[in-house]
Amino acid sequence: MTHADEQASLEGILKDEILRMYQEVADNPEAEFHFFHGRPAAEMFGYAPEWLERAPAGAVDSFAGVGNPHERAALKPGETVLDLGSGAGLDAIIAAWEVGPEGRVIGVDLNPSMCLKAQENLATTGVTMECHEGRMEDIPLPDASVDVVLSNGVVNLSFRKRRVAEEMFRVLRPGGRISITDIVSGRELSQSIVNDPKLWAA
Ligand SMILES: C[S@@+](CC[C@H](N)C(=O)[O-])C[C@H]1O[C@@H](n2cnc3c(N)ncnc32)[C@H](O)[C@@H]1O
């Protein structure tokens, strides 16, 4: 097996685990996970209490981010925002409140049923978001089409992080901004961690 074949096979295993794990957070948020999620996670990351009160319970309960990308995004009314790995939609909903009716929020998620879930959650909020099935490694948007890229706990899931960064810069308009919260390790991870799809997917 060549290195490329091996990588493609590992990427396929990881994709299946990512689909399974985040689907479970969306369908069964009350189940046990070995990462923070839902309202306790959002509170810990400093999401404004009024956002969490106002957002639909489905989006709050299935929130699976690792930080608060809104803190530095400084979204302005009228802007176009891309939420990469939009999941059950909490970050997209908050972005939609911030950019207002003149703005536009576009979600992209690997898992088409996440887009359906996010749309279901958004339906009760009066705000809208487009959601596209797609991968952050091949963002299904034209060049220079968004003002801000948001992402919360998603880039660490990719095998091809450099490619993700190139894609973010491709879709950003000149002068655009990126606000990401993610996981980085200050030391090299052991092979037993790197080779465990459950740990990588989480
Ligand atoms: C950590 S959650 C995102 C949290 C979300 N922002 C929220 O408000 O709850 C991860 C999401 O990223 C999606 N995802 C994982 N890998 C992806 C990829 N390569 N491209 C696009 N989306 C991906 C998963 O399907 C999942 O819905």
Side-chain angles (χ1 to χ4, degrees):
M1 207 189 241
T2 65
H3 178 67
D5 289 341
E6 200 179 348
Q7 177 138 340
S9 149
L10 285 172
E11 201 169 356
I13 294 170
L14 180 61
K15 179 182 171 191
D16 290 346
E17 185 57 27
I18 289 169
L19 290 173
R20 191 197 65 72
M21 186 166 302
Y22 293 102
Q23 188 69 51
E24 181 69 7
V25 183
D27 293 344
N28 276 315
E30 68 292 341
E32 291 261 320
F33 296 94
H34 60 279
F35 52 90
F36 294 110
H37 68 286
R39 193 180 187 102
E43 285 172 350
M44 183 167 74
F45 302 142
Y47 279 61
E50 56 273 24
W51 288 344
L52 301 179
E53 287 309 316
R54 196 174 157 201
V60 177
D61 293 346
S62 297
F63 168 70
V66 300
N68 183 347
H70 307 280
E71 268 179 354
R72 293 188 183 180
L75 298 180
K76 299 183 196 63
E79 286 188 317
T80 298
V81 179
L82 165 64
D83 183 13
L84 269 187
S86 36
L90 180 63
D91 288 318
I93 290 167
I94 293 169
W97 288 329
E98 300 204 308
V99 299
E102 305 300 318
R104 184 176 169 208
V105 176
I106 307 162
V108 167
D109 204 288
L110 178 67
N111 183 348
S113 68
M114 282 302 194
C115 278
L116 294 176
K117 182 93 191 172
Q119 297 292 11
E120 218 177 274
N121 285 328
L122 260 93
T124 62
T125 64
V127 294
T128 53
M129 146 188 150
E130 298 159 40
C131 194
H132 303 278
E133 174 185 358
R135 305 182 65 120
M136 60 187 153
E137 297 85 353
D138 289 292
I139 299 173
L141 292 179
D143 297 354
S145 54
V146 309
D147 299 302
V148 182
V149 177
L150 286 187
S151 171
N152 193 354
V154 186
V155 179
N156 70 90
L157 301 174
S158 180
F159 251 64
R160 293 181 285 141
K161 297 178 176 61
R162 182 178 291 274
R163 168 76 187 177
V164 175
E166 287 165 0
E167 278 293 274
M168 287 184 187
F169 281 99
R170 179 184 66 75
V171 299
L172 269 185
R173 292 183 179 134
R177 311 187 300 287
I178 296 177
S179 183
I180 299 175
T181 43
D182 222 291
I183 300 173
V184 288
S185 172
R187 63 184 169 89
E188 196 160 334
L189 299 173
S190 69
Q191 278 308 305
S192 62
I193 294 177
V194 172
N195 292 340
D196 185 334
K198 275 201 174 57
L199 292 180
W200 194 322

